[in-house]
Amino acid sequence: MGVLTSQSEDFPKWYQDVLNKAVLAESGPVRGTMVIRPYGYSIWERMQAEVDQRIKACGAENAYFPLFIPMSYFEREAEHVEGFSPELAVVTHGGGSKLEEPIAVRPTSETVIGEYMGRWIQSYRDLPLLLNQWANVVRWELRPRTFLRTSEFLWQEGHTAHIDQEDARRYAVRILEDVYHDFMVNVLAIPVVVGRKTAKERFAGAINSMTLEGMMGDGKALQMGTSHELGQNFAKVFSIDYLSDKGAQELCWTTSWGVSTRMVGGLIMAHGDNNGLQVPPVLAPTQVVVIAIKDDPEVIETAGRIEAELREAGVRVRVDTRVDTSFGRRATDWELKGIPLRIEVGPRDLAQQEVTIAVRATGVKSKASLSGLSNKVSETLSEIQSKMLAFAIERRDERTAECSTLSEVVEAAGSGFARIEWDLVGEKGEAELARSAITVRCLQRSDGSLPYSEDEPGLVAYCARAY
RNA sequence: CGGGGUGUAGCGCAGCUUGGUUAGCGCGCCUGCUUUGGGAGCAGGAGGUCCCGGGUUCGAAUCCCGGCACCCCGACCA
């Protein structure tokens, strides 16, 4: 009997078990909300730090806009309001009386940020305007699932305004590639499929939505991030315009892009196994845990010394000296939490001037000499990172089928992704696949690059069941 | 919103059909002792508006009426 429900028995139940046993999060008191517990939040904080750093490297600056948005803002952009009004939370009362105009709790901030961009941009010299905010948003989801689809979630949303379509497009792609794709592959070790959304799947109010799709342990897809070209749709209704160097009044071209706490759910489902979560070393809030096996002064003292030495070497490490708890319990707990590397220190090890090293990803234990331990640890951590990515790539490729008919797609989507020529699907095929709960996750050119339009000939559609 | 289900200790559940002493069980929690190299054992202990409101009855977790909440399956979504 395992600690968790096994993945093959019931994947959703396994996911719930991991959330509980690894002490990541639980449901909040209001339907669809979640409480993120300290360990879960520390993983999110690491994601934030890595993403934030990349966003800043692309030149965007952080700012903060209000949670409350006048309802009237939403009504300005027809497609946007149509897309979002069903899931808006609306405040009708404040300070004990009914409000003149209802206030929406932001589901996303294109409107309010558009309003202020319009005020701030006057000249072509003010462009591009590159903003980002870290915030919570609320969407009244009909079927919530912890981290994957919650009524309130945390995210970053970038909003930019550009001088022309080309500059806007280039920036939206740059965020997609240099921030999201780089982060997901090199930090999360999740080999996402990057492509363009079909018209049906496009963000409400965008002219182009691009996406990064991760494959989960059960072969289903998870949209892990998006970057949108908004064209001039929001510029028109929020008067985001500027005076060009030729003295003409011109409309800006805007973009928006985001990743959310959903990535925590993606991390769990992409790397987790029947022993629990697995956090890639580059991301892990705790990369190494040093377990003092026995209540012995020399053991405790050595564990502390190893901790200090590793911390000095830049390793995120913590020591476990809870010697009144059995070893098995502690080992299992750290495995559930997915700590990549465990160092066990006991009297038997010390007699040999060595320690035991256990790798979470493989379950393999080996001995390592006390001297030169920090080098050994750093090397092992980077090996684990590579192995996790290699394993995820292998699974993605194994479970991606080349198809030439819709019925083959339906078959293949039962266990993974299906690739098929987009010309063989089209809007009609997309609707037909939807009846089998399969969606076109994204479109790519045959060489894997991003299409300018879904009408380009020779595109490949990635189809899958999705969360 | 349509269909199904569940509300009893922190969590998971039994008890309800056929009303009746002090409402049980497992896990977790607390104390003590023995343990500790893969979820320890024994002993003792704490913890309950039985979802809410009304009704029937000498007596309701249990029967009746009304309400609420949550979960699962579909349409929506980062």
Side-chain angles (χ1 to χ4, degrees):
Chain A
M1 251 284 283
V3 182
L4 304 166
T5 304
S6 78
Q7 290 187 329
S8 55
E9 188 187 328
D10 185 344
F11 198 83
K13 182 100 189 302
W14 166 86
Y15 178 76
Q16 283 301 327
D17 282 356
V18 173
L19 294 176
N20 293 327
K21 301 272 182 157
V23 203
L24 295 164
E26 56 193 71
S27 297
V30 170
R31 179 191 153 76
T33 59
M34 65 174 162
V35 175
I36 306 176
R37 301 188 65 174
Y39 182 54
Y41 199 80
S42 70
I43 291 173
W44 173 239
E45 285 180 309
R46 285 286 308 134
M47 290 180 175
Q48 284 186 297
E50 294 285 340
V51 170
D52 194 62
Q53 179 192 321
R54 286 169 174 76
I55 288 172
K56 285 171 178 158
C58 288
E61 295 179 297
N62 286 337
Y64 187 78
F65 292 84
L67 170 70
F68 294 136
I69 299 179
M71 269 303 274
S72 58
Y73 279 26
F74 283 88
E75 286 146 15
R76 293 197 208 168
E77 215 291 323
E79 282 183 30
H80 195 63
V81 69
E82 193 189 327
F84 278 103
S85 55
E87 51 190 46
L88 280 186
V90 179
V91 180
T92 55
H93 289 74
S97 55
K98 193 160 184 291
L99 299 173
E100 281 295 312
E101 183 189 347
I103 294 169
V105 179
R106 66 176 164 223
T108 179
S109 304
E110 276 75 8
T111 57
V112 64
I113 294 182
E115 169 73 19
Y116 282 81
M117 281 179 156
R119 298 186 195 187
W120 296 340
I121 297 167
Q122 319 238 329
S123 150
Y124 71 94
R125 294 183 219 272
D126 298 325
L127 296 173
L129 179 58
L130 310 174
L131 300 174
N132 178 62
Q133 82 167 345
W134 289 93
N136 58 337
V137 285
V138 170
R139 299 180 185 181
W140 217 257
E141 297 292 353
L142 301 174
R143 257 190 72 198
R145 288 192 70 182
T146 306
F147 284 123
L148 301 175
R149 195 189 307 104
T150 45
S151 302
E152 178 191 6
F153 58 92
L154 307 181
W155 74 348
Q156 70 52 224
E157 50 177 325
H159 297 269
T160 67
H162 303 261
I163 199 161
D164 58 23
Q165 178 165 23
E166 181 53 28
D167 197 56
R169 201 196 67 82
R170 209 177 317 126
Y171 198 79
V173 171
R174 182 176 174 196
I175 293 291
L176 188 77
E177 290 295 347
D178 296 359
V179 178
Y180 298 157
H181 196 185
D182 181 71
F183 167 72
M184 288 172 194
V185 171
N186 295 317
V187 180
L188 299 185
I190 299 176
V192 285
V193 174
V194 182
R196 179 187 176 101
K197 284 291 187 190
T198 63
K200 181 174 179 289
E201 301 283 325
R202 198 178 283 155
F203 176 76
I207 61 167
N208 174 27
S209 288
M210 292 169 289
T211 178
L212 306 97
E213 301 283 328
M215 183 187 280
M216 303 296 103
D218 59 355
K220 288 170 80 171
L222 181 73
Q223 179 173 324
M224 304 206 27
T226 49
S227 185
H228 313 289
E229 285 183 75
L230 303 176
Q232 296 181 306
N233 292 342
F234 288 86
K236 274 177 207 151
V237 294
F238 289 101
S239 304
I240 311 175
D241 51 19
Y242 66 95
L243 216 48
S244 75
D245 57 358
K246 298 185 178 61
Q249 196 74 25
E250 303 278 1
L251 279 179
C252 290
W253 295 76
T254 65
T255 78
S256 70
W257 27 278
V259 293
S260 71
T261 38
R262 171 180 277 185
M263 290 193 297
V264 179
L267 178 81
I268 297 168
M269 292 197 295
H271 292 305
D273 62 16
N274 286 335
N275 295 318
L277 178 61
Q278 273 201 78
V279 189
V282 175
L283 178 71
T286 299
Q287 300 172 301
V288 176
V289 62
V290 181
I291 299 192
I293 288 187
K294 283 213 168 32
D295 190 6
D296 170 279
E298 197 192 343
V299 166
I300 304 281
E301 194 264 333
T302 306
R305 210 171 59 235
I306 293 171
E307 183 197 21
E309 189 186 316
L310 291 178
R311 181 160 294 142
E312 183 69 21
V315 176
R316 293 187 291 276
V317 60
R318 57 180 292 181
V319 70
D320 177 358
T321 52
R322 297 172 300 160
V323 286
D324 53 348
T325 301
S326 75
F327 170 77
R329 160 72 62 169
R330 291 187 286 154
T332 308
D333 280 351
W334 295 118
E335 274 168 9
L336 283 165
K337 287 182 187 304
I339 309 300
L341 195 63
R342 199 168 66 235
I343 297 178
E344 301 170 4
V345 185
R348 272 185 239 157
D349 299 301
L350 293 187
Q352 310 293 320
Q353 284 299 298
E354 58 186 20
V355 293
T356 301
I357 288 186
V359 174
R360 170 66 180 82
T362 58
V364 172
K365 284 192 187 188
S366 59
K367 300 288 184 185
S369 165
L370 269 175
S371 63
L373 187 58
S374 61
N375 283 340
K376 169 76 178 167
V377 164
S378 299
E379 271 169 37
T380 309
L381 286 175
S382 90
E383 278 168 26
I384 293 170
Q385 184 78 23
S386 312
K387 270 187 201 158
M388 287 182 71
L389 179 60
F391 180 79
I393 289 173
E394 193 180 325
R395 184 184 57 205
R396 181 200 63 189
D397 293 347
E398 265 174 14
R399 292 210 187 185
T400 300
E402 296 292 338
C403 300
S404 51
T405 65
L406 290 186
S407 57
E408 283 177 22
V409 169
V410 172
E411 167 73 21
S415 59
F417 291 179
R419 277 167 50 95
I420 183 169
E421 280 179 48
W422 172 231
D423 292 339
L424 297 174
V425 184
E427 274 184 40
K428 226 176 126 192
E430 203 175 1
E432 193 179 323
L433 289 172
R435 282 195 285 277
S436 308
I438 295 164
T439 46
V440 176
R441 303 314 301 162
C442 66
L443 304 174
Q444 283 185 346
R445 289 186 182 142
S446 56
D447 65 359
S449 64
L450 283 164
Y452 282 113
S453 145
E454 68 180 80
D455 299 326
E456 280 183 28
L459 296 184
V460 175
Y462 273 84
C463 306
R465 288 142 64 82
Y467 280 98

